[in-house]
């Protein structure tokens, strides 16, 4: 009887150890990249997208994104101004204004048009090619936004301080890139190679040139509703 109880305790202990091992967080074996994007004066750049491309592309294959994301239209503006997504992401374009909008893009990565509508279009737009997609509205010329479509699942957008953190990266070699709507030069010119380990974080800083901002001036007519 004593032997039977001892064997039972040993089996339970082994089972408990195996359960603890299986429930260990994946993040404990993943790396991080702490990115900082600044302009030539040293000021942090908001709305820059930092992407980490795995040297072993199969390591970064997450099968695309299935969740539907939103680019809203509020007070005759797109929100957010920059939206980074992974290839395979569907984006909805709801219109919360009490007027109609006509969303379109002529960008090579995604050419589409959502004719005049209020509310939410029947179908979201699938972004199935990598690249930067410029959004516009045929009715309100000042409305502009960007969808950055990444072929890697590892990306992040900078905040007002120019900082962005990429987390849950499998250890390995990566090529980093930084992109911004006003980036002076090509995105490929920002490339750098880094090695991500299981512990600690890689620090990466860019000092990028920005082109002058050009947006058609918003000129609403006071007291007039509609377009």
């Amino acid at each position: 009887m004593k032997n039977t109880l001892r064997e039972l305790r040993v089996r339970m202990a082994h089972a408990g150890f195996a359960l603890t091992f299986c429930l260990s967080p994946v993040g404990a074996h993943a790396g991080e990249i702490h990115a900082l994007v600044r302009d030539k004066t040293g000021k942090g750049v908001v709305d820059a997208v930092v992407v980490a491309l795995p040297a072993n592309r199969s390591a970064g294959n997450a099968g695309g994104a299935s969740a539907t994301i939103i680019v809203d239209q509020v007070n005759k503006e797109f929100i957010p101004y920059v939206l980074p997504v992974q290839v395979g992401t569907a984006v909805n374009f709801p219109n919360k204004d009490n007027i109609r909008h006509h969303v379109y893009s002529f960008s090579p990565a995604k050419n589409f048009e959502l004719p005049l509508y209020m509310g939410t279009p029947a179908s979201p737009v699938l972004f199935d090619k990598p690249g930067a997609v410029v959004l516009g509205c045929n009715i309100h010329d000042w409305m502009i936004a960007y969808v950055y479509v990444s072929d890697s699942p590892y990306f992040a957008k900078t905040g007002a301080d120019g900082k962005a953190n990429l987390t849950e990266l499998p250890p390995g070699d990566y090529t980093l890139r930084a992109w911004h709507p006003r980036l002076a030069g090509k995105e490929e010119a920002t490339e750098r190679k880094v090695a991500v380990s299981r512990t600690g974080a890689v620090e990466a800083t860019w000092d990028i040139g920005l082109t002058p901002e050009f947006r058609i001036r918003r000129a609403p007519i006071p007291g007039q509703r509609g377009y």
Side-chain angles (χ1 to χ4, degrees):
M1 181 68 177
K2 290 183 179 180
N3 290 337
T4 302
L5 289 175
R6 186 179 296 111
E7 291 176 1
L8 180 60
R9 291 193 187 100
V10 171
R11 290 177 183 175
M12 290 178 66
H14 286 170
F17 173 80
L19 180 61
T20 302
F21 176 81
C22 291
L23 295 181
S24 296
V26 175
H29 303 288
E32 295 186 3
I33 295 174
H34 295 172
L36 172 61
V37 182
R38 305 181 298 201
D39 62 18
K40 294 300 184 180
T41 69
K43 181 181 178 180
V45 175
V46 66
D47 287 327
V49 180
V50 178
V51 181
L53 300 159
N56 177 9
R57 287 305 180 95
S58 61
N61 182 13
S66 57
T68 298
I69 312 298
I70 288 176
V71 172
D72 218 333
Q73 295 164 84
V74 180
N75 192 26
K76 302 176 186 176
E77 297 286 356
F78 289 116
I79 300 175
Y81 175 58
V82 172
L83 174 69
V85 300
Q86 187 183 354
V87 168
T89 299
V91 177
N92 246 325
F93 292 86
N95 174 8
K96 291 185 179 177
D97 289 334
N98 62 351
I99 58 175
R100 297 189 180 195
H101 288 300
H102 187 134
V103 183
Y104 72 94
S105 176
F106 295 137
S107 299
K110 191 64 182 182
N111 191 317
F112 73 96
E113 186 174 7
L114 299 175
L116 282 171
Y117 69 96
M118 295 177 68
T120 301
S123 300
V125 177
L126 180 65
F127 289 84
D128 50 1
K129 296 179 181 178
V133 179
V134 186
L135 307 176
C137 175
N138 265 337
I139 307 302
H140 310 98
D141 291 338
W142 65 84
M143 288 179 62
I144 187 170
Y146 299 83
V147 176
Y148 181 93
V149 189
S150 169
D151 55 358
S152 166
Y154 309 115
F155 56 83
K157 185 173 72 171
T158 60
D161 57 1
K163 295 180 179 180
N165 292 332
L166 286 72
T167 61
E168 301 298 323
L169 282 80
D173 296 325
Y174 290 82
T175 298
L176 298 184
R177 289 182 180 178
W179 174 89
H180 188 270
R182 293 167 49 205
L183 178 66
K186 295 184 178 181
E187 178 184 350
E188 289 76 10
T190 69
E191 285 188 358
R192 63 188 57 185
K193 308 291 185 180
V194 299
V196 174
S197 63
R198 295 181 183 275
T199 58
V202 175
E203 305 288 337
T205 300
W206 287 265
D207 293 311
I208 63 173
L210 298 176
T211 60
E213 184 172 17
F214 176 76
R215 295 184 68 178
I216 296 175
R217 184 179 177 183
R218 179 171 178 165
I221 301 174
Q224 178 175 328
R225 299 179 63 185
Y227 303 144

